[in-house]
C-alpha cells in the first residue's frame, strides 16, 4: 500500500473515531448518560457503563503488539475500583506514616514514579535514561527498560494504563511518548508530535487506547493508540507555559490540565476546545489530581479536583471547576505532590521535607524525607545537602507511598497504625 493511501486510511479512521467518541463513551447524542456518582460494588450498573464495557471487550490491541488481559465478567471494573478505596472511617484523614523500606538506584536517582493498576509492580524513571520495574511487595528490580536508540534526555513522566497493568507509557526529554510492554520489555508504540520534552501524561480511566500528553511546548495532544502514533486526534493549545499535569475524567468527556502559567484549564475532548480557565493560583501548578470524598448529608460520593502549587492547594468542584476550599502552602520550595484517590495529600520540597495535610486539624504535618542519619548527598566541597524530593506516588490502596529523592533512594512508607 502506498504512503498516500496509508495516510488517507489513517485520517479516515481518525475522523470516524472522533465522530463516534461520544456514542461509545457517553451514550447516544441528546441523551444524558452521565452519573454524578462513582459506581460501587453491588450497585446497579448504569447503561452507559455496560455499553462501555462491551466496547472495551471488543477492542483490538491497545497498541501494536500489546493486548489487554482477558476479562472475566461485567463487574470487573466496578470491583477493582471498590477494592482500592479505604474504609469510610479513614477517608480524608491524616495518619502518621512510617518508612519501612529503601530501594537504592546505583549511580543515579529516580525522577518519575507510578504504580501499576493491579498494585503488584511500580515503575521508576531514572536519570540515567532507563526505566526500572520493581515488585511492590519486595522492592526488588523485575526488569530494566532502555530504548534501542538512547534517549536524548531522562524520562520525565510515567503512567500505567488503568485496565492494562502491563502497558506503561513514558514521556521523556526526547519529545516522544513510548508505550512499553512490561511483560517483554519491548517498545510497543512510539508517539511523535511534540516539539519539546513531554512532562505530563494521562491515560483515560475507561478507554485504554485514549492517551493525553502535555509538553513544555505548551501543547496538549490527544492520541488514539489504535491507529498509530504519526498524528494526534486533537492538539489543544492555550497555555502560556509548560504543561505539568493532566487529569482525564471517566464520567464526562473532560480533560483538566495544570501549567507553569499558574492556570488550570478545562477541555472538551470530544470537540477539542477549551471549556474554561481557573486563575486562583499565583505560582506554577505542580500537581493535579482527582479524588472522591464522602459527604455527611447523603450516602453518595463527590468527585473533587485538587491542585497543588507553592502558594498552597486548592480543591475544586467538578465538572464546573468551581473553587471549594483553599489550603495555605507548607513551604515556598515545593517540588512535587501527590493526591490519593480518597483525598490524602502529600508534598515534597527542595529542602528534603515531606508535608502531609491533616484534614481533621487543617494543618500540615512535616517530617524528613530521609530520616536515616546517613542520608543526604555529599557535594564537591564535602558538605551534605538535603535529599531533594523529586517524585511521589501513592499505591492503588492509598496505604503505601513511594518517594524518590536526589540521594538515589526510593523510599516506601505505610500507615503507622498497621504496626499497632
Amino acid at each position: 500500500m502506498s504512503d498516500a493511501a496509508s495516510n488517507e486510511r489513517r485520517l479516515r479512521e481518525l475522523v470516524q473515531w472522533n465522530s463516534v467518541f461520544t456514542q461509545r463513551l457517553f451514550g447516544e447524542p441528546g441523551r444524558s448518560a452521565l452519573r454524578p456518582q462513582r459506581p460501587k460494588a453491588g450497585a446497579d450498573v448504569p447503561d452507559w457503563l455496560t455499553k462501555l464495557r462491551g466496547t472495551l471487550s471488543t477492542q483490538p490491541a491497545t497498541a501494536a503488539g500489546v493486548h489487554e488481559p482477558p476479562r472475566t465478567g461485567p463487574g470487573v471494573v466496578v470491583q477493582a475500583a471498590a477494592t482500592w478505596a479505604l474504609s469510610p472511617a479513614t477517608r480524608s484523614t491524616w495518619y502518621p506514616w512510617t518508612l519501612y523500606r529503601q530501594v537504592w538506584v546505583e549511580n543515579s536517582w529516580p525522577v518519575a514514579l507510578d504504580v501499576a493498576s493491579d498494585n503488584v509492580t511500580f515503575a521508576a524513571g531514572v536519570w540515567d535514561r532507563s526505566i526500572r520495574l520493581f515488585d511492590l511487595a519486595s522492592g526488588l528490580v523485575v526488569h530494566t527498560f532502555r530504548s534501542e536508540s538512547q534517549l536524548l534526555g531522562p524520562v520525565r513522566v510515567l503512567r500505567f494504563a488503568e485496565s492494562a497493568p502491563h502497558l506503561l507509557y513514558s514521556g521523556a526529554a526526547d519529545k516522544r511518548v513510548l508505550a512499553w510492554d512490561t511483560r517483554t520489555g519491548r517498545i510497543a508504540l512510539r508517539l511523535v508530535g511534540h516539539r519539546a520534552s513531554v512532562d505530563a501524561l494521562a491515560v483515560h480511566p475507561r478507554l485504554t487506547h485514549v492517551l493525553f500528553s502535555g509538553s513544555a511546548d505548551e501543547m496538549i495532544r490527544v492520541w488514539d493508540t489504535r491507529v498509530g502514533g504519526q498524528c494526534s486526534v486533537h492538539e489543544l493549545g492555550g497555555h502560556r507555559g509548560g504543561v505539568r499535569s493532566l487529569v482525564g475524567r471517566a464520567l464526562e468527556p473532560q480533560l483538566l490540565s495544570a501549567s507553569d502559567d499558574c492556570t488550570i484549564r478545562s477541555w472538551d475532548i470530544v470537540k477539542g476546545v477549551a471549556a474554561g480557565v481557573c486563575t486562583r493560583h499565583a505560582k506554577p501548578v505542580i500537581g493535579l489530581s482527582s479524588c472522591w470524598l464522602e459527604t455527611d448529608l447523603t450516602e453518595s460520593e463527590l468527585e473533587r479536583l485538587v491542585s497543588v502549587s507553592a502558594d498552597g492547594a486548592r480543591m475544586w468542584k467538578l465538572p464546573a471547576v468551581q473553587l471549594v476550599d483553599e489550603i495555605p502552602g507548607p513551604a515556598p520550595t515545593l517540588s512535587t505532590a501527590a493526591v490519593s484517590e480518597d483525598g490524602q495529600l502529600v508534598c515534597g520540597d527542595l529542602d528534603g521535607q515531606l508535608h502531609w495535610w491533616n484534614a481533621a486539624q487543617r494543618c500540615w504535618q512535616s517530617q524528613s524525607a530521609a530520616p536515616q542519619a546517613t542520608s543526604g548527598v555529599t557535594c564537591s566541597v564535602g558538605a551534605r545537602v538535603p535529599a531533594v524530593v523529586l517524585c511521589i506516588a501513592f499505591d492503588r490502596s492509598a496505604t503505601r507511598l513511594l518517594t524518590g529523592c536526589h540521594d538515589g533512594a526510593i523510599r516506601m512508607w505505610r500507615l503507622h497504625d498497621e504496626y499497632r
Side-chain angles (χ1 to χ4, degrees):
M1 182 180 296
S2 65
D3 293 341
S6 177
N7 291 336
E8 182 181 357
R9 178 179 59 82
R10 184 179 294 112
L11 290 175
R12 187 164 54 250
E13 290 178 348
L14 289 174
V15 172
Q16 181 182 6
W17 176 85
N18 194 29
S19 64
V20 303
F21 187 88
T22 305
Q23 290 94 326
R24 287 187 176 181
L25 185 57
F26 304 107
E28 299 299 329
R31 171 177 173 267
S32 176
L34 305 181
R35 295 293 187 271
Q37 304 173 7
R38 178 176 53 174
K40 295 184 178 181
D44 295 335
V45 180
D47 294 339
W48 71 268
L49 185 56
T50 304
K51 185 175 181 179
L52 174 61
R53 290 179 185 145
T55 302
L56 287 174
S57 62
T58 58
Q59 294 295 342
T62 58
V66 180
H67 298 270
E68 294 187 13
R71 296 176 175 271
T72 58
V76 62
V77 176
V78 175
Q79 293 172 359
T83 303
W84 297 343
L86 290 175
S87 62
T90 61
R91 287 182 182 272
S92 304
T93 303
W94 179 84
Y95 285 90
W97 289 72
T98 301
L99 177 67
Y100 71 95
R101 179 177 291 119
Q102 293 186 120
V103 179
W104 294 93
V105 178
E106 297 180 0
N107 303 320
S108 191
W109 51 86
V111 294
L113 291 169
D114 196 36
V115 181
S117 58
D118 58 5
N119 216 31
V120 174
T121 59
F122 72 91
V126 184
W127 186 259
D128 64 2
R129 302 180 177 89
S130 67
I131 300 174
R132 305 187 188 185
L133 188 68
F134 294 86
D135 178 69
L136 186 59
S138 64
L140 300 177
V141 177
V142 178
H143 204 288
T144 299
F145 308 135
R146 290 184 183 272
S147 175
E148 65 275 6
S149 59
Q150 285 294 319
L151 301 178
L152 301 180
V155 175
R156 305 296 297 271
V157 61
L158 295 173
R159 285 295 178 269
F160 278 96
E162 292 296 326
S163 57
H166 61 276
L167 182 59
L168 173 66
Y169 292 99
S170 66
D174 65 348
K175 311 173 187 178
R176 297 184 302 169
V177 178
L178 301 180
W180 302 81
D181 188 341
T182 59
R183 299 169 301 187
T184 62
R186 296 181 178 180
I187 298 176
L189 186 66
R190 297 171 179 83
L191 305 178
V192 181
H194 284 292
R195 296 178 292 277
S197 64
V198 180
D199 300 332
L201 289 174
V203 184
H204 196 280
R206 302 297 185 189
L207 300 177
T208 307
H209 60 271
V210 179
L211 177 71
F212 312 103
S213 62
S215 170
D217 63 6
E218 305 176 357
M219 301 301 296
I220 301 170
R221 289 178 178 266
V222 182
W223 306 88
D224 183 356
T225 60
R226 298 172 302 170
V227 295
Q230 300 305 316
C231 55
S232 54
V233 178
H234 292 308
E235 187 174 357
L236 309 177
H239 280 296
R240 296 297 180 264
V243 180
R244 296 287 296 271
S245 185
L246 296 170
V247 172
R249 297 190 62 208
L251 300 184
E252 293 195 20
Q254 185 180 28
L255 174 68
L256 301 150
S257 61
S259 170
D260 286 333
D261 62 5
C262 310
T263 66
I264 301 169
R265 289 180 179 264
S266 173
W267 309 87
D268 186 330
I269 61 175
V270 174
K271 299 178 181 179
V273 297
V277 182
C278 302
T279 59
R280 293 302 295 264
H281 282 286
K283 295 186 178 181
V285 184
I286 62 174
L288 196 67
S289 181
S290 62
C291 61
W292 291 86
L293 302 179
E294 290 187 347
T295 62
D296 298 332
L297 301 178
T298 64
E299 297 180 356
S300 63
E301 292 178 311
L302 300 177
E303 187 178 10
R304 291 288 185 258
L305 180 73
V306 179
S307 59
V308 182
S309 175
D311 62 354
R314 308 286 186 267
M315 182 174 291
W316 310 83
K317 179 181 178 181
L318 295 175
V321 197
Q322 297 175 347
L323 185 64
V324 176
D325 192 12
E326 293 190 21
I327 300 172
T333 58
L334 292 185
S335 56
T336 184
V339 182
S340 66
E341 185 185 356
D342 60 339
Q344 299 181 73
L345 171 62
V346 59
C347 304
D349 63 22
L350 301 178
D351 298 324
Q353 295 289 315
L354 291 176
H355 307 279
W356 320 79
W357 174 245
N358 187 338
Q361 300 180 7
R362 292 193 61 82
C363 65
W364 292 94
Q365 308 284 347
S366 301
Q367 66 183 88
S368 173
Q372 281 71 16
T374 58
S375 63
V377 181
T378 303
C379 63
S380 58
V381 296
R384 303 191 68 81
V385 298
V388 176
V389 184
L390 300 175
C391 48
I392 299 177
F394 280 95
D395 79 336
R396 300 295 178 155
S397 66
T399 59
R400 287 177 290 190
L401 181 74
L402 307 175
T403 59
C405 298
H406 188 258
D407 61 356
I410 300 175
R411 294 179 172 85
M412 308 175 72
W413 310 73
R414 59 186 172 192
L415 292 177
H416 183 69
D417 59 346
E418 292 184 6
Y419 289 94
R420 298 174 182 175

